[in-house]
Amino acid sequence: MKIAIDARGINWYRGTGIGTYTENMLKCLLDIDKKNYYHIYWWGKNSKEFLKNNSKIILSSKKHKSFFEQYYFPNNLIKENIDLYHVPQNGIGINTNIPCKKIITVHDLIPYTMPETVGKSYLNKFLSDMPKLTEISDGILTVSQWSKKDILKFFPMDPDKIFVTPLAADAKYQPLDKEKCNFILKKQYNIDKPFILYVGGFSPRKNVKSLIIAFSKVYRKLNKDYNLVIVGAKKDSASYLDSISTNLDISKNIIFTGFVPEVHLPLLYNGCDVFVYPSTYEGFGLPPLEAMSCGSCVISSNLTSIPEVVGDGGLLINPYDTNSISDSIEKVLNDDKISSSLKEKALKRASLFSWNKTAQLTLEAYNKILFNNKKTAHS
């Protein structure tokens, strides 16, 4: 089987869920699958990492993006006699007239379920393109059962056309020496107290406001003097959150780190006493899994896909109830037995996920899509 993958998203969306997924899924596919041949459309640096005995790199230009998507890629797919073409970034950029089998990865349907949380230009493109993309695709990969359910809700189709391939945490997310981590964090970010951690964006669906309110209710009840450390690139909404902490008179207890390099995230997950993720909607939700992989105590939302990820590896709360969040923080931080038990459960749960498994499920989906279509064609 000759498989073409649009891997431009690795560099286009580096540091996001789509970029992380595309990079790790493709690396593991090339490692585990020596039977099939991979044709990789690329933009940017680091292409040599993906040049193997079973792969070929085709460089493209971002400046001439439309030319490559509408003319070069379709003609190249025909010329190379490709069997399957996979576009991991929600199918964006795929030509509808490509003759080979077409697969897209739809990560979530947030533009449909929570349009108010999405930028206008992306929202308009997503809403206009997605009906056609789901229709022309021979198979759809998605990252959770919840996302599969959403896809079927908005685009009724044969459920067997959709394959769930869960994400995983990178190998760098593992237990580390807590004292060493905190020593580095003190120097880098001036974090000099025990801390509660949040990592992620500041979209309204991330619900960081509720975490700040919950912290204001509980911080005086804790056995130690805690900081709340909020990690994420500062944007307009971050300033809004800063003003909330000032109004609640807890700004001195909250540290907004701003953007943090990915290499520092394992230090933060290992250094915290509890990781809290009160998001109201996720297609998958990598941060809780990354935290669990580091052996962190995790408190997370009980909504959408998050319970599929966290399972019994953390405490699940109603993210709309700030008392539920604050009570859970107090429960974990003031009881060593509970926190020790949660750390053990977190590591056990996290071990169920790996990028090799994601790649294996992806390969199984490729084979089923090609086999079923051939079977249908000959029946």
Side-chain angles (χ1 to χ4, degrees), residues 289-303:
L289 182 56
E290 291 169 350
M292 290 192 299
S293 299
C294 292
S296 305
C297 295
V298 169
I299 296 170
S300 200
S301 167
N302 63 1
L303 299 180

Side-chain angles (χ1 to χ4, degrees), residues 26-79:
L26 182 51
K27 277 181 180 175
C28 289
L29 270 176
L30 295 175
D31 284 342
I32 68 169
D33 181 19
K34 304 302 181 185
K35 182 180 176 183
N36 300 306
Y37 192 78
Y38 289 84
H39 217 68
I40 302 167
Y41 296 129
W42 191 266
W43 176 85
K45 301 176 181 178
N46 309 320
S47 62
K48 288 182 180 178
E49 293 179 44
F50 298 86
L51 191 56
K52 309 280 185 180
N53 292 332
N54 57 340
S55 69
K56 177 181 179 180
I57 304 289
I58 296 92
L59 297 175
S60 69
S61 161
K62 197 170 187 180
K63 185 178 179 182
H64 303 101
K65 185 160 90 62
S66 181
F67 164 75
F68 278 94
E69 291 173 356
Q70 298 306 314
Y71 300 101
Y72 186 83
F73 292 165
N75 288 327
N76 185 255
L77 290 166
I78 295 169
K79 178 186 171 186

Side-chain angles (χ1 to χ4, degrees), residues 6-297:
D6 183 354
R8 295 173 299 166
I10 291 173
N11 286 317
W12 282 0
Y13 306 108
R14 188 167 291 281
T16 71
I18 290 176
T20 300
Y21 158 78
T22 308
E23 180 172 18
N24 286 286
M25 177 268 296
L26 182 51
K27 277 181 180 175
C28 289
L29 270 176
L30 295 175
D31 284 342
I32 68 169
D33 181 19
K34 304 302 181 185
K35 182 180 176 183
N36 300 306
Y37 192 78
Y38 289 84
H39 217 68
I40 302 167
Y41 296 129
W42 191 266
W43 176 85
K45 301 176 181 178
N46 309 320
S47 62
K48 288 182 180 178
E49 293 179 44
F50 298 86
L51 191 56
K52 309 280 185 180
N53 292 332
N54 57 340
S55 69
K56 177 181 179 180
I57 304 289
I58 296 92
L59 297 175
S60 69
S61 161
K62 197 170 187 180
K63 185 178 179 182
H64 303 101
K65 185 160 90 62
S66 181
F67 164 75
F68 278 94
E69 291 173 356
Q70 298 306 314
Y71 300 101
Y72 186 83
F73 292 165
N75 288 327
N76 185 255
L77 290 166
I78 295 169
K79 178 186 171 186
E80 297 287 346
N81 197 27
I82 298 297
D83 297 301
L84 290 172
Y85 180 39
H86 181 190
V87 179
Q89 61 271 12
N90 292 318
I92 302 300
I94 196 169
N95 187 307
T96 57
N97 297 316
I98 290 169
C100 68
K101 303 306 174 192
K102 295 172 283 293
I103 301 170
I104 64 173
T105 300
V106 178
H107 295 262
D108 57 60
L109 286 185
I110 289 170
Y112 278 84
T113 58
M114 302 181 82
E116 71 282 359
T117 69
V118 180
K120 191 173 180 181
S121 61
Y122 179 72
L123 174 65
N124 290 338
K125 183 164 183 58
F126 196 98
L127 295 181
S128 66
D129 289 3
M130 196 50 62
K132 186 68 176 175
L133 290 172
T134 54
E135 182 186 341
I136 62 136
S137 297
D138 297 283
I140 296 171
L141 307 186
T142 194
V143 295
S144 65
Q145 292 293 341
W146 183 270
S147 284
K148 178 174 180 175
K149 191 171 109 180
D150 270 354
I151 294 166
L152 291 170
K153 176 182 174 183
F154 288 96
F155 307 105
M157 65 181 78
D158 181 354
D160 291 340
K161 182 179 173 178
I162 306 172
F163 300 84
V164 176
T165 59
L167 307 184
D170 190 84
K172 66 177 170 285
Y173 297 106
Q174 58 180 288
L176 303 171
D177 185 283
K178 187 167 184 170
E179 284 188 21
K180 289 180 181 177
C181 291
N182 284 328
F183 177 77
I184 298 169
L185 293 173
K186 184 175 180 179
K187 288 179 70 176
Q188 290 282 341
Y189 303 102
N190 200 30
I191 300 170
D192 59 358
K193 294 179 183 176
F195 65 97
I196 299 159
L197 178 66
Y198 166 80
V199 173
F202 297 119
S203 162
R205 70 181 171 86
K206 297 295 187 177
N207 198 30
V208 183
K209 176 183 175 182
S210 290
L211 173 56
I212 292 172
I213 293 169
F215 179 65
S216 74
K217 292 180 176 183
V218 77
Y219 79 102
R220 289 190 182 91
K221 301 177 185 177
L222 302 175
N223 291 341
K224 300 176 188 173
D225 185 14
Y226 277 91
N227 279 333
L228 171 60
V229 174
I230 297 176
V231 176
K234 284 192 173 180
K235 296 177 182 174
D236 293 341
S237 47
S239 303
Y240 162 67
L241 295 169
D242 209 357
S243 68
I244 291 173
S245 64
T246 301
N247 293 337
L248 291 169
D249 197 27
I250 54 166
S251 56
K252 66 181 184 301
N253 296 88
I254 298 183
I255 298 172
F256 288 90
T257 65
F259 172 78
V260 164
E262 199 173 328
V263 70
H264 286 173
L265 291 179
L267 305 177
L268 286 155
Y269 287 131
N270 276 277
C272 73
D273 281 6
V274 65
F275 173 75
V276 187
Y277 198 71
S279 176
T280 58
Y281 189 102
E282 295 291 333
F284 183 83
L286 263 179
L289 182 56
E290 291 169 350
M292 290 192 299
S293 299
C294 292
S296 305
C297 295

Side-chain angles (χ1 to χ4, degrees), residues 300-372:
S300 200
S301 167
N302 63 1
L303 299 180
T304 65
S305 66
I306 300 171
E308 289 179 52
V309 179
V310 175
D312 64 351
L315 289 182
L316 296 173
I317 46 89
N318 175 1
Y320 293 109
D321 182 355
T322 55
N323 288 327
S324 175
I325 301 171
S326 59
D327 289 348
S328 294
I329 291 172
E330 183 179 5
K331 184 178 177 182
V332 171
L333 295 182
N334 286 351
D335 192 321
D336 290 342
K337 284 185 179 179
I338 290 175
S339 62
S340 294
S341 173
L342 274 178
K343 287 174 184 177
E344 285 181 24
K345 289 178 179 178
L347 287 169
K348 189 174 180 182
R349 178 68 183 178
S351 69
L352 300 177
F353 298 82
S354 75
W355 285 114
N356 267 355
K357 283 187 180 179
T358 306
Q360 188 60 52
L361 288 169
T362 302
L363 185 58
E364 287 172 14
Y366 289 168
N367 284 313
K368 283 181 182 176
I369 291 162
L370 190 64
F371 173 76
N372 287 342

